[in-house]
Amino acid sequence: RELYAIYQQGLADCRLLQLPPNDERGEWSCIRFPVLVSGDKLAWYRAACQRGVDFAFSFTFLGCPENFTKAHAIARTILDLPFYLKLTDARARKVIAVLRELDAFFYSQIR
């Protein structure tokens, strides 16, 4: 929950990331931190990897029919941030810094 809150706070003002909902009542058992990125998901992934941050992929290739358009739209944009018990605060801050940098970069490309 602490890491979830750190990511929520550190990424709250990013313009091209859609964050998962807040755990308002502190009752979730969080196992992932998925974000939806605007634009090319693989461009975000490659740029983050070049800066030393790796992501996991959720639901990139779906088994559902193509007419499940919302599911496919989410699959095209979802990335899972590093989220595990032994992730250090310093490493979490690095993830946040890289995502904030990429948010500013990709936002400048669409303006």
Side-chain angles (χ1 to χ4, degrees), residues 30-90:
C30 308
I31 59 170
R32 292 186 182 188
F33 194 92
V35 296
L36 302 180
V37 298
S38 293
D40 181 359
K41 170 171 73 173
L42 292 178
W44 282 79
Y45 176 75
R46 288 183 193 107
C49 284
Q50 289 174 344
R51 291 161 176 80
V53 173
D54 196 3
F55 300 120
F57 291 89
S58 288
F59 314 112
T60 298
F61 303 102
L62 299 181
C64 64
E66 288 297 321
N67 65 334
F68 287 48
T69 55
K70 289 184 180 180
H72 284 278
I74 290 169
R76 283 190 299 275
T77 64
I78 193 167
L79 290 170
D80 290 324
L81 276 55
F83 197 84
Y84 50 93
L85 180 62
K86 293 186 178 183
L87 187 74
T88 65
D89 287 345

Side-chain angles (χ1 to χ4, degrees), residues 5-26:
I6 289 168
Y7 278 156
Q8 283 285 358
Q9 183 178 4
L11 299 170
D13 62 346
C14 289
R15 295 167 285 202
L16 299 178
L17 294 178
Q18 183 179 342
L19 304 179
N22 286 320
D23 181 10
E24 297 292 338
R25 297 185 348 211

